[in-house]
Amino acid sequence: MTKDIKAKEERKFDIVLAAIRLFSRDGFYATRVPDIAKEVGMSAGNIYNYFKSKEDLAKCAIRYCTNVLANKLREINNMDITTREKIEHFVKGYFEVVEKFPELTEFFLRVYLANREVFSKRCDNGYECASEFIEEVGRLLDNGAAAGDLQKQDFHVAFSMIMGPLGCFTFLTGENVLEKNVIKYAPDIAENIYLALSKR
Amino acid sequence: MTKDIKAKEERKFDIVLAAIRLFSRDGFYATRVPDIAKEVGMSAGNIYNYFKSKEDLAKCAIRYCTNVLANKLREINNMDITTREKIEHFVKGYFEVVEKFPELTEFFLRVYLANREVFSKRCDNGYECASEFIEEVGRLLDNGAAAGDLQKQDFHVAFSMIMGPLGCFTFLTGENVLEKNVIKYAPDIAENIYLALSKR
Amino acid sequence: MTKDIKAKEERKFDIVLAAIRLFSRDGFYATRVPDIAKEVGMSAGNIYNYFKSKEDLAKCAIRYCTNVLANKLREINNMDITTREKIEHFVKGYFEVVEKFPELTEFFLRVYLANREVFSKRCDNGYECASEFIEEVGRLLDNGAAAGDLQKQDFHVAFSMIMGPLGCFTFLTGENVLEKNVIKYAPDIAENIYLALSKR
Amino acid sequence: MTKDIKAKEERKFDIVLAAIRLFSRDGFYATRVPDIAKEVGMSAGNIYNYFKSKEDLAKCAIRYCTNVLANKLREINNMDITTREKIEHFVKGYFEVVEKFPELTEFFLRVYLANREVFSKRCDNGYECASEFIEEVGRLLDNGAAAGDLQKQDFHVAFSMIMGPLGCFTFLTGENVLEKNVIKYAPDIAENIYLALSKR
DNA sequence: CATGAATGAGGCTTCATTCAT
DNA sequence: AATGAATGAAGCCTCATTCAT
């Protein structure tokens, strides 16, 4: 019983991973349900025993990606280190995901940012889908300001200074135009972000 | 004769504008050719007298968007002002586009950045499609460094510090989560960018 | 222009007729849209330029069938003859339809009576879909009673004595169990109905 | 052993009843096998331990419904009462079924009469599936004629005068358009039928 | 006998694109 | 250049049925 339920959850997770892989490579629309099924090694029809629709699957995938990043950032937020170190850790951590599991961030960029029509029905706006992660960014900034490390700024302004460059690097990695491994860029990016946000 | 050709070019432009409008709102795939036709006030079939395919139309649209931004930045680059002022002008100019012609930047974000499969066939990578604009960003950075205003940095690192936040704000505007008019954020964003990139 | 619209209406009518043909023979579900398309000589996709869905097509077909019968009965109601003659005319007229256009009545029996789930969404109940026809039956009975020819009776009771036997013969014709041509049964059926309903 | 077989038969009967319930409500095609399984409280797969196919199940259901009505009519035929009383009893008995077990007659009307394609494969024509019942109607008419109560008539004509109105009322009940309880209509219907068929 | 995950065939529908007018 | 009916290729999804457990 319990074992079967566990097996079912695992199978569901397999599908999500496969979907992320293909969605990030080919986009939401160009990825066909049978493609995903093949990637997991099951029949297309069976996908529908796990997810209500292709859209539903994409939403689950987004939620998973958001969680991974949110958890990563939450851990860092809970560490007892300086704000500057937190930013360094986060940029490095994010880039590690970009390197080791590029589909995750690519998927985020390609499917979430770009196919709003897919998500806007469930989430009031796509933004909310990622709320967990966004809140964590908020904590990073608030704590930094409280500690006197960061300049007090409008949230969206500060948010864009962190996530903008990271998103940009996700894109550049996907375009294959970087000369070095992404991770190599982490220290410089972190420093730039810190310079932009730190108390002047 | 010449007049007819001119008329044809104008009609073509009308279609491009309509396409940008709809693509940016609904995405590339969810926008149907008949929708675009209706928006311009012509029949679906007639679109094909102007563009080889829906993809072709999207590429023309991207080229147009890239040009608008590239021209804007080129003008600024040619002005005889400090690097800091150039960044301020550029951020403000970009945000003006976001406000007055939000479809343009939205289209860029949603269709170009995210639907690689649509563009990668013509451009070797989608990145090159925007090369004209990217080169201009390069000039901004190089001149700034030559003038001793900016720290010498890896191009992609610096690029991401400029275009990342701007892209992020394009997204936030589209999501309707900003409390103030976009333009109001320009000075702060410009300052942050300058702090990140300036000589230390 | 006008001609095109007319042509389009005619084409639409062709599709309705083909649909009635196939629906009556194979039932609503067993008839596939491509089958109908083939019967009219067009592609399956093109059907959707005329009807929103297979269901929509079935509803149009039902409306057409109802109208044919309602018109027939209305004409008879307007004639200056005895109630008995009206019933004779109606039974004969109905059986002529059963003979010459068996699909029409069969379709009515098979699709309308049996596939309520298809129609109940648009019509509050399937009954209302045929209201025009039912009203005409009401007029036949009311006028007959007013003329002193028919016994005053509950509408549904009288209605069932007319349409019940006719529906039953529609079914028997479809089952191919009648020894004689349907029309031959008309006088006897008409007499039976008259005996059941006439003033005692 | 015997007990198990009995249990199995009972389980089979449960399934038939559930099927009649759902088929009559939603039609043959719109009812899914898992729906039936859920209604009985078993798994979809298990249905196939009792019936070869969905079609097979529908045929069993029809046979059951036919038997119920045939038995009822046979009993009445065997009673020592006048033909008129027999007709009264039958109409009343039929309407009692319509009231107490509406699914049975509804199922008959919706699935059997209208989904010929489902039954015609096993029975030469769907008509024969109900032969037991139909024969009993024949006995009612023959005995009535032999007793000098009914006019000698073509079987199908007389049959349609009985079963037509009853079928019609089954439909009207299903459509929820009757003001009174069905049973209340029995005497009038019976009288009408008798007037139509009795010796003149 | 019972389960329910899995299959696979096939249906409805959409849509870019073509083409006769 | 303009129309819009027509095509045909796919895609999503459903569901009866099977089968390993």
Side-chain angles (χ1 to χ4, degrees), chain B residues 118-133:
Chain B
V118 178
F119 300 100
S120 57
K121 277 174 244 164
R122 170 161 303 176
C123 316
D124 198 345
N125 52 52
Y127 196 62
E128 285 180 12
C129 255
S131 55
E132 201 187 354
F133 170 70

Side-chain angles (χ1 to χ4, degrees), chain C residues 8 11 42-43 45-46 49-50:
Chain C
K8 180 143 194 187
R11 210 98 184 80
M42 61 169 52
S43 71
N46 201 17
N49 287 325
Y50 294 87

Side-chain angles (χ1 to χ4, degrees), chain D residues 52-65:
Chain D
K52 233 178 51 246
S53 66
K54 186 184 176 186
E55 222 170 78
D56 183 33
L57 171 52
K59 281 170 184 165
C60 280
I62 278 295
R63 244 173 279 131
Y64 170 70
C65 292

Side-chain angles (χ1 to χ4, degrees), chain B residues 61-131:
Chain B
I62 278 296
R63 243 172 282 130
Y64 172 70
C65 293
T66 302
N67 275 340
V68 168
L69 294 177
N71 289 340
K72 191 149 220 146
L73 186 47
R74 187 175 302 118
E75 251 179 50
I76 295 169
N77 272 336
N78 291 338
M79 289 164 83
D80 191 17
I81 52 180
T82 66
T83 304
R84 180 174 191 136
E85 285 167 334
K86 283 182 184 175
I87 289 176
E88 283 165 0
H89 272 73
F90 180 53
V91 173
K92 185 153 161 280
Y94 184 91
F95 279 15
E96 276 166 10
V97 176
V98 172
E99 199 213 7
K100 302 241 175 70
F101 191 9
E103 303 92 333
L104 189 147
T105 45
E106 270 274 309
F107 174 68
F108 212 80
L109 186 73
R110 299 201 56 191
V111 180
Y112 176 53
L113 292 200
N115 297 119
R116 190 161 50 219
E117 72 279 8
V118 178
F119 300 100
S120 57
K121 277 174 244 164
R122 170 161 303 176
C123 316
D124 198 345
N125 52 52
Y127 196 62
E128 285 180 12
C129 255
S131 55

Side-chain angles (χ1 to χ4, degrees), chain D residues 108-163:
Chain D
F108 213 79
L109 187 74
R110 298 200 59 189
V111 180
Y112 176 52
L113 293 199
N115 297 119
R116 191 158 52 216
E117 72 279 8
V118 178
F119 300 100
S120 57
K121 276 174 244 165
R122 170 161 303 177
C123 315
D124 197 341
N125 52 51
Y127 196 61
E128 284 179 13
C129 256
S131 56
E132 202 189 354
F133 170 69
I134 292 165
E135 265 169 43
E136 216 57 48
V137 176
R139 269 184 66 210
L140 176 67
L141 295 167
D142 288 348
N143 293 348
D149 295 326
L150 302 184
Q151 179 84 6
K152 256 202 143 55
Q153 295 207 51
D154 176 277
F155 171 67
H156 288 119
V157 169
F159 178 81
S160 76
M161 292 307 297
I162 295 180
M163 293 314 299

